[in-house]
């Protein structure tokens, strides 16, 4: 099989701004609370400042990570930087039912072998023999990628 781009899943600019903005807004509200009506105890103040800091860091990570896309290129799932996420020959099952453990609007892959853990906030995570895709992406984007993976697996005879 040639290394052509078969499908791509990316976060729309609106979803990217909206999700990062909501996390940053929550951090701003906590910072406002910490400065205008701080908790009485020093432990409470530290907790509010710490949570605001973590939320700001999360907003930046979400903004950075949602700028990446997931691509099906040949027999590989990779990010837009070319880093391997999962090889399709290692996929046992693809699950996208409503009551399965998966990200919002996404799907889950059960793998034959373990991959190193990694996480791209709002886009995918991979840990052990599981990889999940979705989150900040639209359902249509995730569905296109899942259908392309299913089509490839059914052609190669790997899908149950």
């Amino acid at each position: 099989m040639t290394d052509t781009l078969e499908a791509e899943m990316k976060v729309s600019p609106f979803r990217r701004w909206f999700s990062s903005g909501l996390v940053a807004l929550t951090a701003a509200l906590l910072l406002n609370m910490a400065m205008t009506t701080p908790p009485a105890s020093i432990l409470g103040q530290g907790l509010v400042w710490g949570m605001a800091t973590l939320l700001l860091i999360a907003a930046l990570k979400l903004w950075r990570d949602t700028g990446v896309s997931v691509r099906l290129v040949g027999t590989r799932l990779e990010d837009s930087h070319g880093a391997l996420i999962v090889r399709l020959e290692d996929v046992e099952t693809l699950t996208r039912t409503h009551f399965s453990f998966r990200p919002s609007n996404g799907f889950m892959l059960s793998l034959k072998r373990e991959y190193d853990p990694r996480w791209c906030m709002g886009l995918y995570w991979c840990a052990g023999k599981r990889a999940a895709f979705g989150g900040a992406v639209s359902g249509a984007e995730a569905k296109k990628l899942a259908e392309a993976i299913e089509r490839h697996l059914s052609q190669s005879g790997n899908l149950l």
Side-chain angles (χ1 to χ4, degrees), residues 29-99:
L29 290 173
L30 278 174
L31 288 173
N32 182 41
M33 184 186 82
M35 290 188 275
T36 57
T37 56
S41 71
I42 197 78
L43 180 64
Q45 290 177 15
L47 184 64
V48 170
W49 281 97
M51 286 175 55
T53 303
L54 287 175
L55 283 169
L56 282 174
I57 292 169
L60 290 172
K61 179 171 174 37
L62 182 60
W63 176 258
R64 185 184 60 226
D65 288 353
T66 53
V68 175
S69 63
V70 175
R71 299 174 175 179
L72 175 60
V73 179
T75 60
R76 299 168 36 109
L77 275 173
E78 58 186 39
D79 65 17
S80 55
H81 300 299
L84 173 70
I85 300 170
V86 171
R87 292 185 190 282
L88 291 187
E89 58 260 16
D90 295 330
V91 175
E92 276 186 354
T93 60
L94 186 145
T95 307
R96 54 183 175 145
T97 60
H98 289 292
F99 299 111

Side-chain angles (χ1 to χ4, degrees), residues 130-145:
R130 299 238 185 262
F133 299 85
V137 298
S138 70
E141 288 279 321
K143 185 178 180 181
K144 282 193 304 187
L145 182 62

